[in-house]
Amino acid sequence: MNTLATKYDPKAVESKWYEYWEQHDLFKSVPDEREPYTIVIPPPNVTGVLHMGHMLNNTIQDILIRHARMEGKNALWVPGTDHASIATEAKVVKRLAEQGIRKRDLTREQFLEHAWAWTHEHGGIILQQLRKLGASCDWSRTAFTMDEKRSQSVLRVFVDLYDKGYIYRGLRMVNWDPKAQTALSNEEVIYHDEKSKLYYLKYYVNGLTTLEAEAELREQGNVIHRDDKGYYAVVATTRPETIMGDTAMCVNPKDPKNQWLRGRQVIVPLVNRVINVIEDHYVDIEFGTGCLKVTPAHDPNDYMLGKTHNLESIDIFNPDGSISTESPLYVGMDRMECRKVIAADLQQAGLMEKVEDYENKVGYSERNPDTAVEPRLCKQWYLKMKHFAEIALPPVMNDELKFFPPKYKNIYKVWMEGIQDWCISRQLWWGHRIPAYFLPTENPDDEVFVVALTEEEALAKARQIKGYENIQPDELKRDENALDTWFSSWLWPISLFDGINNPGNEEIKYYYPTSDLVTAPDIIFFWVARMVMAGYEYIGEMPFRNVYFTGIVRDKLGRKMSKSLGNSPDPLMLIDKYGADGVRMGMMLSAPAGNDILFDEALCEQGRNFNNKIWNAFRLVKGWEVADIEQPEHSRLAVQWFHAVLDNTLTEIKDLFSKFRLNEALMAVYRLFWEEFSAWYLEIVKPAYQQPIDAKTMDATLYFFDTLLRLLHPFMPFITEELWQHIAERNDGESIMYARIPEPGQPDTALLSAMTQAKEIVGGVRNVRKSKNLPNREELALQVVGEFSNPLAPIIVKTAGLSGIECVDTKDATAAAFLVGTTEFAVPLGNNINVEEEIAKLEADLKYAQGFLATVEKKLSNERFVANAPEAVVAAERKKQADAQSKIATLTEAIAALRR
RNA sequence: GGGUGCUUAGCUCAGCUGGUUUAGAGCGCAUCCUUGACAGGGAUGAGGUCACCUGUUCGAAUCAGGUAGCACCCACCA
């Protein structure tokens, strides 16, 4: 009869429909009179490939977009990619190295040519992969953070912020990435606990052969070291390789252990440089020996000490982390190598007192995770952040701009309140080149520069500076540095609608503020916080109304997915295996809002199985022939009941969507389809084998199926589109994408509770059937002891396989009994009954009921409960008591009857 | 060193402002079911002293305080 395969095959279906959607421009949005619903994609790295984090993130965005579209909103999802300055440049450098080309041998222009070639070669692969997932982005708007419009926006904003006085150049200790050879922002440093060593080094006191009153000094608490070479101080350090940069030793003036060192000089081991012992309260008396070596060029704290005490600064590192010619020793050696070698040399020379195991935090470069960040003194461009924190904090705290889950509000607040200026310059070529132009000066340490959008403007500005009235274009030297990638990303919700270059244009007015932002929490500071800042600064309004933070995708053991662990499945392989709909569902089933998600491939299998269930339900319905026959009573009731269920679930789903509880919304639809629709509704209305169905029931069933497909579509776009074409009338170019999800009506709660009771009765009968090993096809009689009325009785008769329901005063002596509520039901079994078994079963029920009654009566016998609890609560307890008593009576009677 | 969040069936999680029969779901598990949508399926069922302690209350998984474990964020202690 059915020509359709018993298994759903997503492969052909998915590519067919994606093409159809694209061909008919169904993802496209232009401003109109409808309410807009906008999402801007967190732009993935242009040369990246899809990983599980993207899958999760983009599945969620697509669900939200499709849902909004089906609510009748003008839904726009803008796609794009990020130039990912440091990451992409690193990849290009690596590829060039493989070809034997060194970056430093290339000019900026040559390097950029290679970078663009790489971008064009690999760029956009990830956007193709998103299509496989079903992402309904308006591809005609695909943007790139370094395309013409976005670049213009970035430069304009830089110039504007400079003119407003927010951007400045500063000489600071920055976080330096020796591999990428660039400065980083604080946020780009990731700290890890590390097992390292604490080296205790001997710094001999210069020219001290005899210490006067040594005994007395010891008496006062001084810790004095001495060996055959003389007196020495002990300094504890984790970084012995920096001793070549030592220019002082520091003690706390209040430290009783080190009083004897005050005002003296010590000799740096191996280096033999004589340095002063300085005093500062900064030094922790408790740590190590209380003696601190001071290396102003290589530690932020030492830098501060150097400033206050006017110390010399010796920079012993080259930008790549090797030892520079400023050092008397180890020139050219890598810093990590040098640490090992110098430790051995110190040991050898008898200059090492001891070595201890130690655990400390070491900062690593976010983009070069194996490279420890080196503090380095250099001049960089900074953005003052105080003003931006002031405009971006309140709207989040007062929930104008909502975070889901809200726990991120606090994290956001703490960061904003302790905000530091943002280092925005990077010593990279791949990125937006800083629009600053330096003018020639007498002294190379002096800086005179102008900031301007174009060279012409720069020249004009330069000529207004006293002494440069006649400066020529070729005398202007543009800054070589690029901007931090996030300096372009923070404009994304604005720049996508060209709101910087073309303020107040129709698109920015219509689509901004965007509706929801879906992103991972690890970029809350990098990106989310800064977009809020830019939004208020440039549009005067929030960039998005809600931020939904996804969790981190982990494997089912809770480990982060990583290449080295090999626990990260390839998303495209998964799609190939389970279909995009199955994978989307697998992602969503494991993604409770805000928690990390433990991804298990078995969930994709569950998703695939669900597709199959939908497919086969469709096969069933499609196989029915409609005939001009009367609608059976059970079908009429089933239709009524399913309307009520639908109203109920629609309300629930609407609420869940508003709270971003998408996995619960999906579970609600899942159960609606599988339990209520397939297991109950279809089983009730299903005609007998090869019998036709009446038109009324068929129409209702198709309507229900249509509605269910609509509810499922945001989660599983492909299979729903495939089936919708058969279920609903439609013309070419139309799509379920634009079908409306119905507004929920008021559910008929009386009918719903009647069905709940009906299901329990049916369950009771089936239980009897199973325990007595009665065949499913054999019709059974059902007796009800006493009064019984349930409007859905015909449904009970059909689904329990009954010959009828009969009210009796006394049930058959040989019947298997069960209770639903306080009513006793019985299935007469003739000789089939095992009296002992029946009694045992009823006694178990009785015991439960008695236990329950005891708890209720305990409550009711508590005078204070009766006196203090609200009347309704007391009444409810009385009802429970009465019900339990009646149950006990029924059970006692039933057991007695069996015993007779 | 500070801060935030979490701890409920074997697993992953719901349980909103205390009272919805002595706590729910999905998966998994057990038992039974071969023709008639679907074994990627159907039916039935077993599984929990709500991390621990002490309070508040007539009443606590739910509120408060504390303990333990886990996770994350922040911080310049060598």
Side-chain angles (χ1 to χ4, degrees):
Chain A
M1 51 160 276
N2 249 316
T3 52
L4 293 169
T6 59
K7 286 182 182 169
Y8 170 63
D9 175 22
K11 278 209 185 77
V13 169
E14 295 188 349
S15 53
K16 174 181 78 183
W17 287 114
Y18 204 88
E19 260 173 51
Y20 176 90
W21 294 329
E22 280 207 281
Q23 262 170 24
H24 291 92
D25 267 345
L26 292 169
F27 305 148
K28 200 168 171 52
S29 164
V30 287
D32 61 20
E33 68 295 334
R34 287 175 297 165
E35 183 190 339
Y37 176 87
T38 318
I39 295 181
V40 297
I41 203 169
N45 289 3
V46 63
T47 59
V49 290
L50 207 63
H51 61 242
M52 294 306 287
H54 294 123
M55 292 287 280
L56 171 67
N57 183 261
N58 289 293
T59 298
I60 292 169
Q61 290 174 72
D62 197 45
I63 290 168
L64 293 173
I65 276 285
R66 286 181 186 269
H67 186 256
R69 205 179 272 130
M70 295 178 82
E71 283 182 326
K73 292 177 186 160
N74 184 349
L76 169 62
W77 184 11
V78 192
T81 49
D82 191 284
H83 66 283
S85 177
I86 186 166
T88 306
E89 179 149 336
K91 281 184 200 167
V92 174
V93 168
K94 191 175 164 217
R95 184 166 80 153
L96 288 173
E98 283 161 10
Q99 298 168 6
I101 304 170
R102 290 181 305 183
K103 180 187 166 191
R104 74 179 101 136
D105 294 336
L106 299 178
T107 64
R108 184 185 191 107
E109 285 65 34
Q110 286 170 328
F111 179 82
L112 286 177
E113 251 175 62
H114 285 288
W116 278 110
W118 169 265
T119 299
H120 291 136
E121 196 179 319
H122 293 263
I125 290 178
I126 196 160
L127 301 182
Q128 289 304 328
Q129 294 178 319
L130 284 178
R131 288 171 166 90
K132 291 260 185 287
L133 183 63
S136 59
C137 303
D138 182 349
W139 299 109
S140 69
R141 294 172 178 269
T142 305
F144 178 45
T145 51
M146 239 165 72
D147 63 20
E148 192 56 37
K149 279 184 179 166
R150 265 47 68 176
S151 298
Q152 274 296 307
S153 309
V154 168
L155 299 188
R156 265 182 216 278
V157 163
F158 185 95
V159 173
D160 178 66
L161 292 176
Y162 178 78
D163 288 343
K164 285 172 177 165
Y166 293 134
I167 287 178
Y168 65 97
R169 277 176 70 70
L171 179 68
R172 301 249 175 108
M173 197 56 98
V174 297
N175 305 296
W176 184 263
D177 177 338
K179 189 168 176 195
Q181 300 197 32
T182 176
L184 302 174
S185 66
N186 298 338
E187 287 70 31
E188 283 166 293
V189 182
I190 314 292
Y191 289 92
H192 297 300
D193 277 318
E194 200 157 277
K195 284 189 170 48
S196 56
K197 306 271 185 215
L198 196 54
Y199 302 87
Y200 288 78
L201 311 184
K202 294 180 177 179
Y203 282 58
Y204 284 97
V205 180
N206 192 30
L208 186 66
T209 45
T210 47
L211 186 58
E212 274 175 48
E214 183 175 335
E216 199 180 319
L217 283 167
R218 285 186 192 272
E219 194 95 332
Q220 290 161 5
N222 281 286
V223 178
I224 300 166
H225 305 273
R226 182 181 189 176
D227 62 15
D228 49 0
K229 283 182 238 159
Y231 291 90
Y232 62 92
V234 174
V235 171
T237 180
T238 53
R239 302 202 59 193
E241 73 277 14
T242 61
I243 60 170
M244 286 90 80
D246 284 359
T247 55
M249 192 182 94
C250 190
V251 298
N252 191 312
K254 287 191 176 156
D255 186 354
K257 301 192 296 297
N258 292 314
Q259 292 296 318
W260 68 288
L261 290 167
R262 296 176 71 181
R264 299 192 188 272
Q265 291 186 314
V266 292
I267 302 164
V268 181
L270 291 182
V271 180
N272 295 326
R273 184 188 302 127
V274 176
I275 56 176
N276 292 328
V277 174
I278 59 167
E279 296 165 29
D280 198 293
H281 293 282
Y282 162 77
V283 177
D284 183 350
I285 295 170
E286 301 305 317
F287 188 91
T289 58
C291 295
L292 175 72
K293 68 193 248 345
V294 185
T295 320
H298 301 298
D299 183 277
N301 302 305
D302 293 12
Y303 176 67
M304 290 312 294
L305 285 173
K307 266 192 149 173
T308 36
H309 296 271
N310 256 321
L311 299 176
E312 193 193 345
S313 176
I314 305 173
D315 187 349
I316 61 152
F317 290 131
N318 292 314
D320 67 355
S322 62
I323 308 295
S324 75
T325 52
E326 293 290 307
S327 164
L329 301 162
Y330 309 113
V331 174
M333 194 182 285
D334 180 74
R335 58 195 170 134
M336 295 305 167
E337 177 65 16
C338 183
R339 182 177 304 172
K340 288 183 208 153
V341 173
I342 200 169
D345 289 351
L346 285 160
Q347 191 73 260
Q348 187 91 39
L351 293 166
M352 181 110 72
E353 175 106 329
K354 60 175 172 176
V355 185
E356 282 177 353
D357 286 329
Y358 188 65
E359 195 160 294
N360 64 340
K361 295 243 182 193
V362 179
Y364 284 85
S365 170
E366 195 220 3
R367 289 292 156 188
N368 285 317
D370 54 346
T371 304
V373 162
E374 191 65 57
R376 183 161 194 256
L377 187 64
C378 51
K379 215 167 208 187
Q380 300 289 343
W381 292 91
Y382 288 90
L383 177 60
K384 289 183 191 171
M385 294 305 272
K386 189 165 171 286
H387 158 74
F388 293 97
E390 280 166 4
I391 57 176
L393 183 56
V396 171
M397 294 324 287
N398 66 27
D399 285 328
E400 268 174 70
L401 196 173
K402 291 196 189 63
F403 280 5
F404 293 86
K407 67 176 174 184
Y408 289 106
K409 277 169 71 174
N410 194 43
I411 290 173
Y412 182 87
K413 175 168 178 260
V414 168
W415 186 74
M416 284 290 183
E417 287 175 344
I419 201 155
Q420 291 178 12
D421 287 355
W422 177 11
C423 176
I424 53 174
S425 46
R426 297 289 178 276
Q427 286 64 59
L428 299 168
W429 281 338
W430 180 244
H432 302 281
R433 190 171 179 179
I434 291 177
Y437 298 82
F438 291 89
L439 279 52
T441 53
E442 297 273 319
N443 181 341
D445 286 346
D446 291 344
E447 276 185 353
V448 178
F449 61 86
V450 292
V451 169
L453 201 54
T454 61
E455 281 182 40
E456 294 71 42
E457 282 173 37
L459 188 67
K461 279 185 179 171
R463 285 181 174 163
Q464 282 166 19
I465 298 171
K466 200 168 167 238
Y468 291 96
E469 290 82 357
N470 295 315
I471 190 165
Q472 294 305 300
D474 57 0
E475 290 178 278
L476 290 180
K477 202 170 159 294
R478 184 163 178 183
D479 192 318
E480 288 292 336
N481 294 325
L483 286 159
D484 182 4
T485 298
W486 301 102
F487 195 86
S488 58
S489 323
W490 77 325
L491 305 175
W492 193 239
I494 306 170
S495 64
L496 283 176
F497 304 111
D498 212 19
I500 299 287
N501 301 319
N502 190 1
N505 73 69
E506 193 197 355
E507 294 231 320
I508 192 89
K509 280 197 297 195
Y510 184 73
Y511 291 115
Y512 190 102
T514 68
S515 308
D516 301 328
L517 179 79
V518 181
T519 191
D522 53 348
I523 52 175
I524 181 171
F525 308 136
F526 280 120
W527 195 43
V528 180
R530 289 170 182 160
M531 280 192 286
V532 179
M533 295 172 173
Y536 282 98
E537 181 70 14
Y538 284 99
I539 310 291
E541 223 179 325
M542 61 181 86
F544 24 72
R545 299 179 204 282
N546 304 296
V547 183
Y548 174 97
F549 289 103
T550 67
I552 292 167
V553 184
R554 297 170 181 277
D555 68 10
K556 63 179 168 184
L557 301 175
R559 301 173 305 182
K560 264 193 181 175
M561 291 200 164
S562 74
K563 276 184 194 157
S564 54
L565 275 175
N567 61 347
S568 176
D570 172 2
L572 293 181
M573 296 281 283
L574 289 174
I575 289 176
D576 195 53
K577 203 165 160 192
Y578 302 103
D581 287 334
V583 178
R584 287 166 68 112
M585 186 158 159
M587 298 295 322
M588 291 318 294
L589 280 174
S590 54
N595 289 354
D596 281 359
I597 82 153
L598 303 188
F599 180 79
D600 185 348
E601 213 177 299
L603 291 165
C604 294
E605 204 178 319
Q606 194 184 342
R608 181 200 61 184
N609 293 353
F610 185 42
N611 278 306
N612 203 233
K613 186 73 187 175
I614 299 168
W615 176 254
N616 277 293
F618 167 72
R619 286 178 65 226
L620 173 68
V621 173
K622 188 173 179 265
W624 290 340
E625 293 212 15
V626 180
D628 186 14
I629 51 172
E630 195 67 6
Q631 182 180 39
E633 185 61 4
H634 56 252
S635 294
R636 188 185 68 78
L637 292 166
V639 168
Q640 259 185 29
W641 162 71
F642 199 77
H643 268 295
V645 180
L646 206 48
D647 281 335
N648 214 24
T649 314
L650 280 167
T651 309
E652 194 188 340
I653 289 169
K654 195 173 177 172
D655 179 59
L656 291 169
F657 260 92
S658 75
K659 294 171 179 158
F660 290 93
R661 301 175 76 145
L662 304 184
N663 68 321
E664 288 176 55
L666 173 58
M667 191 46 75
V669 194
Y670 177 83
R671 296 187 57 212
L672 177 66
F673 194 96
W674 204 309
E675 274 307 304
E676 308 291 14
F677 185 66
S678 298
W680 287 100
Y681 175 83
L682 288 181
E683 289 302 328
I684 299 167
V685 303
K686 182 158 90 179
Y689 184 51
Q690 291 192 328
Q691 295 299 303
I693 194 165
D694 68 279
K696 271 187 185 166
T697 306
M698 187 64 172
D699 285 351
T701 305
L702 289 175
Y703 168 79
F704 293 145
F705 213 121
D706 182 1
T707 306
L708 289 166
L709 289 178
R710 293 175 195 217
L711 280 172
L712 287 163
H713 181 260
F715 301 99
M716 296 187 291
F718 294 106
I719 190 174
T720 48
E721 184 79 275
E722 171 70 14
L723 296 182
W724 198 65
Q725 67 174 333
H726 301 298
I727 293 285
E729 295 281 324
R730 66 138 198 223
N731 303 313
D732 188 47
E734 286 179 349
S735 163
I736 190 173
M737 278 173 61
Y738 285 90
R740 295 290 287 266
I741 289 173
E743 279 296 311
Q746 200 53 249
D748 183 340
T749 51
L751 203 54
L752 288 173
S753 55
M755 188 63 180
T756 304
Q757 194 201 29
K759 285 176 177 177
E760 279 181 56
I761 297 166
V762 173
V765 175
R766 285 173 176 168
N767 195 356
V768 170
R769 218 184 259 282
K770 190 190 176 197
S771 60
K772 302 296 169 229
N773 252 324
L774 302 174
N776 289 334
R777 260 174 291 169
E778 183 182 322
E779 282 195 340
L780 299 176
L782 182 65
Q783 299 179 328
V784 191
V785 183
E787 299 283 306
F788 172 67
S789 89
N790 185 312
L792 301 178
I795 287 179
I796 299 171
V797 169
K798 172 155 189 193
T799 50
L802 302 175
S803 54
I805 302 176
E806 183 196 3
C807 289
V808 296
D809 288 331
T810 321
K811 65 172 196 278
D812 264 28
T814 58
F818 59 90
L819 281 183
V820 172
T822 58
T823 312
E824 186 183 11
F825 293 81
V827 180
L829 293 171
N831 297 328
N832 225 329
I833 191 159
N834 178 330
V835 174
E836 288 312 311
E837 248 175 48
E838 286 305 309
I839 290 177
K841 214 181 75 192
L842 292 176
E843 278 182 337
D845 287 354
L846 179 63
K847 201 177 159 202
Y848 179 90
Q850 284 168 334
F852 176 65
L853 180 65
T855 66
V856 173
E857 290 192 327
K858 190 178 160 206
K859 231 182 214 185
L860 282 169
S861 65
N862 183 339
E863 279 171 37
R864 287 184 300 177
F865 169 71
V866 180
N868 293 325
E871 251 176 69
V873 173
V874 178
E877 290 301 315
R878 291 239 152 82
K879 171 86 166 40
K880 285 186 205 168
Q881 182 187 30
D883 285 355
Q885 282 166 344
S886 132
K887 234 183 216 185
I888 287 166
T890 309
L891 287 165
T892 312
E893 170 53 32
I895 291 165
L898 280 168
R899 289 227 159 97
R900 277 198 287 271

